[in-house]
Amino acid sequence: MPEATVETRASEATHSGSTQQVDVAVVGAGFAGLYILHRLRKAGFSAVVLEEAGDVGGTWYWNRYPGARCDIQTIDYSYTFDPELDKAWTWSEKYATQPEILRYLGFVADRYDLRRDIRFGTKVKQATWDDASERWLITTDNGANVSCRHYIMATGCLSSPKPPEIDGVKDFKGEVYFTGRWPHEGVNLKGKRVAVIGTGSSGIQSIPLIASEAAQLTVFQRTPNFALPAGNGPQPEDRRTFFETDRAAYREQARWSLAGVPYPQQTVVSWQLSDAERRERFEKAWAAGDLVHILTQLWADQGVDVDGNAILCDLIREKIGEVVKDPETLAALTPQDHPFGSKRPCLDTNYYATYNRPNVTLVNLRQEPIKEITAGGISTDKRSFDVDVIVFATGFDAMTGAILAVHPITGRGGKSLSSVWAHGPQSYLGLTVAGFPNLFMITGPGSPSVLSNMAVSIEQHADWVVDRLIALRDAGFTSMEATETAQAGWAQHMADCSMLTLHRLANTWYTGANVPGKAQGVMPYTGGVGPYRSICNEVVGRGMLGFHLKGPGGAEQCNDGEIVRLQPDVRLVLGMLAEMNLPPIETMGAAGARDFLNEFNKGRPAGRPVGEVGEGMLQGADGPLPYKLYRPATPGPHPIVVYFHGGGWVLGDHESDDPFCRDMCRRTGMIFVSVNYRHAPEHRFPAAPEDGYAATRWISEHAADLGGRPGPVLVAGWSAGANVAAVTCQLARDRGGPQIAGQLLLSPVTDCIFDRPSYVENATGYFLTRGLMYWFWDIYCSPADRTDPRASPIRGKLEGLPPAFVTTAEFDPLRDEGIAYAEALAKAGVPVEQLKARGHFHSSFVMVDVVITGVPGRIKMAEALRRFAGLPAQMDTVRRAPPPEVNAAAS
Ligand code: NAP
């Protein structure tokens, strides 16, 4: 049966006295409210939507300023829940205008007969939870109050305009307009002197059209924004063809994508591309006129790394420079203070060219701030501008403004939401708040919302919420509430995710920085639409993890916990590995496992350039060993770090940790020499540590030949390589040198027992498994030899060893033996620093440019190595790529 005909029955609300009784009350009749109402009715709930405006549309009802359009392609900015609806509406343009979008929402309201359950012109004044009846009581400014079991805020993220915050607005004798509350009848600007304050998306869309109508336009700009030409017109052929070929696949790809638009994940990083290749990609993106394309499809590091982003910023600045003629105006319009994408970039039509018009003036508020608004116009601290009209395009109290506009929302125990959020919004999944049972937010703070295609996110939220209400009803529960544990876990996960992006580097409404006095922090979920969807599904799959459910007669269920404890990128990596469904490495045999590792490493991002990379042979314990040398681009001679790769004494070689060595060479400003010690099963214990020791001695003796600083060397290693590094320090102490200035042990193997808690807790599921460790040990070392300190360094004498930095990962079987070694070193009087990496797994820090959250850890490791070498902890050479790398033989 077509979806539209299911809904002919309006929901059955009842009245008791002056109170309307419904199962669910929804605030807002925009994209979200309309769809929720449809879903609620379909599920048999009685519902009412309370809407302040006179009709449906939400943000598209209010934002009627000249030039208002969507800036996600309209093909994507549409409902997808009903394929028939999808076919019944065809957009006329790539980016539809506000009137067309409003018509679409009206069409949807009619098609599903939604208006019957919407109370227009009705503002919510208060909302109070009553624990006894387990219902919300909503008071309104128009008509009956509402009593409901569930209360859903579909209030939008950008619907509460920010007050002007400029002295004297009331004194102004001319006309004042806000882009976010534009008069329905339109505004005649012909022949008038107009001021626009603000150059965000609303300003940038409206300025060209206002300029073409007004006699004189003066734009007051505080922060220049990045804008790219929309290239509006018909729907681009490539997207339309993809869409028309398989609509269901197109929509499904969008649902699991990062931004809610079906683009693939970009894996190529900027330094893998030549200048010409980068320019070609950029020109294509510029011509495409698509924010999601330029934000996600150029190179993988553009959104996560300042260097990768800076390349793009330079290219955009070049484009702006090609258009704007006046050098002073150009300088003012060129964004310099934030990475591209950290502040919401804009799509424009003739924006920059507008400043070449004789009737347009740009006032740079960074140089001459607004002092006041007077009866006749606007004064800066340098000049006065007489105007007839002031347009405030100054934005919104975003994400929390519309929710907190209803005050108070009083939850359990009389707590108000504004007090709970006094230091920033707290939520679980961005959908619910602890202490506020049966209250739901659609695209609330803590959800992908404004960093995504809202249409896709809204449907996901609405489906999740309504599905939960159905499940609650079916199970006989009457309330659900997030637990404090789950909410705190989500805050941690949000913070971890925000470290992945560059949003924290800009003053933006994403962080609350645009509203004076507002608590600051990245408010939207930055982990992406697809990952967010899978997390929401996982909450359900794990028995409503983090929710307290209650029902009549004392029925209760609470499966408490945190839904994501892994770092977000670690979660993605482990998810991808799980999807590959690989056979356990220990079943591959040594040769098979080596082939697998080689193939696996081919798929990783290439390491970053360093000053010079060379290869050579050195003398091991029983013959020559190959090595690879990474030299920094800075002038030498540099201290030398002898590096031992991971691989369980069986796998890997001097090249297998190449990205890590490059990264650490750049971060430390030291030479890294990665040594290919001998491996089992061909060469069992003690070949590896004896080679490690011999190699360190050889490198120390040949430091000057290698271009290094003579004197003590340092050692470093990961996993089994850290075991070799630790043992090398013990052997060097006992065998009369070489001198070692410090040791970096990254997830080291230090002992031959397998019953520490981390071996049990992390036995499987985190790539390095307990089974694999058994296999490594069996191949490497006979049981009788395992207690030898050269195999299990924790069993050796620890006094007199060089200072150590020991890194362990929370989700690693080796975690506890690494911690135990660090503690034992400290007990023996060795200076030790520990990094216990929360949410990380065994390979986190060596997966350079994949596990981005590993960066702060590597910075700490690099600082420790520099201190050990007697250098200042910090160096300033990582942010910019060094000159192209030279390949040279190092010996
Ligand atoms: P906005 O991005 O917050 O921009 C507000 C502008 O006003 C900024 O340039 C800001 O400068 C300036 N401003 C604020 N207070 C000021 C003051 N007291 N004095 C001087 N300047 C001041 O707001 P918006 O343009 O309305 O856009 C908000 C969001 O809505 C967009 O980012 C976008 O997500 C959405 N939107 C979308 C579309 C679309 O095409 N679909 C259109 C419009 C809006 P600072 O940067 O220095 O704070």
Side-chain angles (χ1 to χ4, degrees):
M1 186 189 306
E3 182 107 8
T5 58
V6 177
E7 308 320 319
T8 49
R9 178 182 63 88
S11 63
E12 283 157 18
T14 59
H15 280 74
S16 87
S18 61
T19 302
Q20 183 180 5
Q21 304 279 338
V22 285
D23 295 325
V24 188
V26 180
V27 187
F31 252 102
L34 293 180
Y35 178 51
I36 289 173
L37 177 58
H38 169 69
R39 280 270 355 237
L40 287 169
R41 275 195 196 164
K42 201 173 155 192
F45 291 105
S46 60
V48 64
V49 175
L50 304 169
E51 170 57 65
E52 184 182 353
D55 199 358
V56 299
T59 196
W60 299 106
Y61 176 90
W62 299 105
N63 284 271
R64 297 168 187 245
Y65 59 85
R69 292 174 182 273
C70 61
D71 58 8
I72 293 279
Q73 292 198 28
T74 1
I75 201 171
D76 301 303
Y77 194 66
S78 308
Y79 290 115
T80 69
F81 64 89
D82 180 356
E84 296 299 318
L85 169 66
D86 227 4
K87 287 199 194 120
W89 184 271
T90 306
W91 295 103
S92 66
E93 286 181 281
K94 178 179 167 192
Y95 297 110
T97 58
Q98 173 270 336
E100 186 174 1
I101 300 172
L102 196 57
R103 274 202 305 281
Y104 171 70
L105 292 171
F107 169 78
V108 171
D110 291 341
R111 186 177 170 91
Y112 303 100
D113 190 19
L114 297 174
R115 285 192 176 86
R116 269 198 278 169
D117 281 325
I118 305 175
R119 281 172 49 185
F120 294 107
T122 305
K123 202 169 166 176
V124 175
K125 284 165 59 187
Q126 279 188 16
T128 309
W129 170 254
D130 176 40
D131 231 358
S133 63
E134 292 193 300
R135 292 180 79 82
W136 284 93
L137 179 66
I138 318 266
T139 56
T140 70
D141 70 347
N142 180 17
N145 292 335
V146 177
S147 165
C148 56
R149 172 79 65 209
H150 302 282
Y151 180 38
I152 303 179
M153 305 295 284
T155 38
C157 297
L158 294 154
S159 37
S160 182
K162 197 171 76 101
E165 303 150 2
I166 300 170
D167 289 343
V169 181
K170 285 201 196 87
D171 302 331
F172 183 60
K173 297 278 183 271
E175 302 160 53
V176 173
Y177 301 104
F178 288 80
T179 47
R181 289 287 181 276
W182 202 257
H184 287 201
E185 60 283 6
V187 178
N188 182 3
L189 298 171
K190 250 199 175 71
K192 293 182 182 161
R193 296 164 303 169
V194 181
V196 173
I197 304 177
T199 52
S201 300
S202 306
I204 283 174
Q205 283 187 336
S206 58
I207 283 166
L209 291 168
I210 294 175
S212 66
E213 197 185 343
Q216 174 67 37
L217 169 64
T218 311
V219 177
F220 293 83
Q221 171 197 272
R222 192 161 64 185
T223 311
N225 219 332
F226 288 101
L228 68 146
N232 203 12
Q235 198 68 52
E237 196 55 42
D238 55 342
R239 311 247 9 118
R240 218 187 48 231
T241 307
F242 177 16
F243 181 60
E244 297 298 347
T245 309
D246 189 346
R247 287 177 177 227
Y250 185 98
R251 296 300 191 203
E252 193 60 8
Q253 194 181 327
R255 290 183 187 115
W256 291 98
S257 66
L258 272 185
V261 177
Y263 280 116
Q265 183 127 12
Q266 185 54 249
T267 52
V268 175
V269 281
S270 59
W271 61 92
Q272 283 176 288
L273 300 166
S274 65
D275 280 353
E277 287 167 329
R278 285 197 294 256
R279 184 167 286 278
E280 191 187 328
R281 284 177 179 227
F282 170 71
E283 293 293 347
K284 193 173 159 213
W286 194 255
D290 181 329
L291 285 176
V292 181
H293 182 127
I294 199 166
L295 283 164
T296 63
Q297 298 299 297
L298 293 192
W299 38 88
D301 49 321
Q302 71 179 69
V304 295
D305 181 90
V306 279
D307 289 338
N309 192 280
I311 300 168
L312 175 55
C313 289
D314 288 344
L315 289 164
I316 300 177
R317 289 187 197 115
E318 213 179 288
K319 288 286 184 192
I320 301 171
E322 285 168 14
V323 180
V324 182
K325 296 206 171 102
D326 172 56
E328 204 181 323
T329 308
L330 171 62
L333 281 171
T334 307
Q336 303 284 1
D337 75 335
H338 62 276
F340 176 75
S342 59
K343 213 173 159 84
R344 173 68 142 72
C346 311
L347 273 190
D348 79 274
T349 304
N350 298 327
Y351 176 65
Y352 293 111
T354 297
Y355 291 93
N356 296 332
R357 293 174 64 111
N359 70 331
V360 177
T361 306
L362 179 70
V363 178
N364 182 352
L365 299 180
R366 295 283 176 210
Q367 288 176 355
E368 46 176 320
I370 295 178
K371 206 167 63 185
E372 59 178 346
I373 292 177
T374 61
I378 299 175
S379 300
T380 68
D381 61 5
K382 288 192 183 151
R383 301 180 271 177
S384 288
F385 299 86
D386 291 337
V387 295
D388 308 306
V389 179
I390 300 178
V391 174
F392 284 97
T394 42
F396 300 87
D397 181 357
M399 310 215 62
T400 54
I403 296 172
L404 294 178
V406 174
H407 181 76
I409 297 177
T410 308
R412 203 164 35 74
K415 264 194 203 157
S416 85
L417 189 61
S418 26
S419 66
V420 171
W421 282 9
H423 304 293
Q426 308 292 314
S427 78
Y428 183 34
L429 306 171
L431 289 163
T432 61
V433 185
F436 295 81
N438 292 2
L439 171 72
F440 301 92
M441 300 173 295
I442 303 301
T443 62
S447 77
S449 58
V450 290
L451 293 178
S452 69
N453 172 2
M454 290 292 264
V456 165
S457 285
I458 282 168
E459 284 191 342
Q460 185 269 342
H461 286 192
D463 286 337
W464 193 91
V465 170
V466 178
D467 288 345
R468 300 292 63 73
L469 300 194
I470 295 169
L472 274 190
R473 183 181 61 189
D474 292 351
F477 290 114
T478 42
S479 78
M480 67 181 271
E481 180 187 340
T483 68
E484 295 285 352
T485 310
Q487 186 162 287
W490 191 248
Q492 183 62 65
H493 178 57
M494 287 275 295
D496 291 341
C497 287
S498 75
M499 289 308 291
L500 283 173
T501 70
L502 303 177
H503 295 110
R504 64 191 186 284
L505 303 181
N507 282 335
T508 141
W509 58 260
Y510 290 148
T511 62
N514 67 327
V515 176
K518 187 166 174 173
Q520 293 201 25
V522 178
M523 290 188 287
Y525 177 73
T526 55
V529 166
Y532 176 82
R533 179 182 294 271
S534 84
I535 290 168
C536 290
N537 293 348
E538 194 182 326
V539 166
V540 179
R542 291 170 66 185
M544 291 301 285
L545 186 77
F547 281 104
H548 196 164
L549 314 182
K550 281 191 192 168
E556 277 195 61
Q557 177 195 312
C558 184
N559 190 6
D560 204 1
E562 300 160 59
I563 184 65
V564 185
R565 291 181 54 214
L566 291 167
Q567 291 292 335
D569 40 9
V570 170
R571 183 175 182 276
L572 289 182
V573 166
L574 289 172
M576 274 156 49
L577 287 168
E579 263 174 34
M580 287 161 77
N581 214 4
L582 297 165
I585 293 173
E586 59 270 31
T587 62
M588 297 177 184
R594 285 172 187 163
D595 290 346
F596 164 77
L597 184 71
N598 288 339
E599 278 309 305
F600 188 78
N601 283 346
K602 280 184 198 159
R604 67 189 173 181
R608 298 194 185 207
V610 296
E612 182 186 33
V613 177
E615 293 193 21
M617 300 297 287
L618 54 74
Q619 191 56 38
D622 189 30
L625 300 173
Y627 70 85
K628 196 160 178 180
L629 182 144
Y630 303 85
R631 192 187 313 282
T634 51
H638 309 92
I640 297 181
V641 180
V642 183
Y643 179 76
F644 301 107
H645 63 85
W649 308 281
V650 177
L651 312 177
D653 56 30
H654 54 308
E655 299 193 316
S656 54
D657 292 348
D658 180 78
F660 179 74
C661 290
R662 287 169 178 270
D663 188 79
M664 292 301 285
C665 167
R666 287 162 58 92
R667 290 185 190 284
T668 56
M670 298 186 197
I671 291 173
F672 265 63
V673 182
S674 176
V675 176
N676 193 16
Y677 53 88
R678 284 169 297 160
H679 298 101
E682 296 85 350
H683 305 282
R684 302 187 81 208
F685 174 83
E690 290 299 341
D691 274 352
Y693 171 69
T696 305
R697 202 179 51 200
W698 187 93
I699 290 166
S700 170
E701 286 163 2
H702 294 80
D705 307 336
L706 296 170
R709 190 177 77 178
V713 294
L714 300 100
V715 294
W718 168 51
S719 194
N723 168 279
V724 173
V727 174
T728 295
C729 290
Q730 297 189 12
L731 297 180
R733 176 200 56 197
D734 298 342
R735 294 179 183 176
Q739 265 197 312
I740 297 177
Q743 47 180 327
L744 167 65
L745 309 179
L746 184 53
S747 298
V749 184
T750 70
D751 203 1
C752 56
I753 57 168
F754 309 104
D755 56 1
R756 290 189 171 90
S758 59
Y759 251 104
V760 180
E761 291 161 19
N762 306 320
T764 58
Y766 303 106
F767 198 57
L768 177 67
T769 61
R770 182 168 56 187
L772 182 56
M773 280 309 299
Y774 288 159
W775 184 69
F776 282 146
W777 270 105
D778 288 345
I779 293 179
Y780 173 55
C781 191
S782 68
D785 287 334
R786 290 184 189 180
T787 52
D788 185 317
R790 290 175 298 167
S792 297
I794 200 167
R795 291 163 190 266
K797 178 185 154 205
L798 303 181
E799 285 77 10
L801 291 174
F805 189 97
V806 182
T807 299
T808 50
E810 183 180 2
F811 296 97
D812 181 356
L814 303 183
R815 177 193 69 205
D816 292 343
E817 65 193 80
I819 292 173
Y821 193 62
E823 288 171 353
L825 286 173
K827 209 165 155 205
V830 177
V832 183
E833 293 166 62
Q834 276 201 69
L835 170 63
K836 295 178 183 174
R838 184 181 49 75
H840 283 287
F841 80 131
H842 187 68
S843 306
S844 279
F845 295 101
V846 293
M847 296 191 83
V848 176
D849 295 309
V850 175
V851 176
I852 308 294
T853 53
V855 170
R858 285 200 303 278
I859 290 173
K860 286 203 178 89
M861 294 178 220
E863 288 175 353
L865 285 174
R866 285 178 62 82
R867 275 197 309 274
F868 295 158
L871 302 174
Q874 271 138 27
M875 57 176 287
D876 192 31
T877 55
V878 180
R879 289 171 75 83
R880 286 280 167 189
E885 167 180 305
V886 180
N887 272 300
S891 66

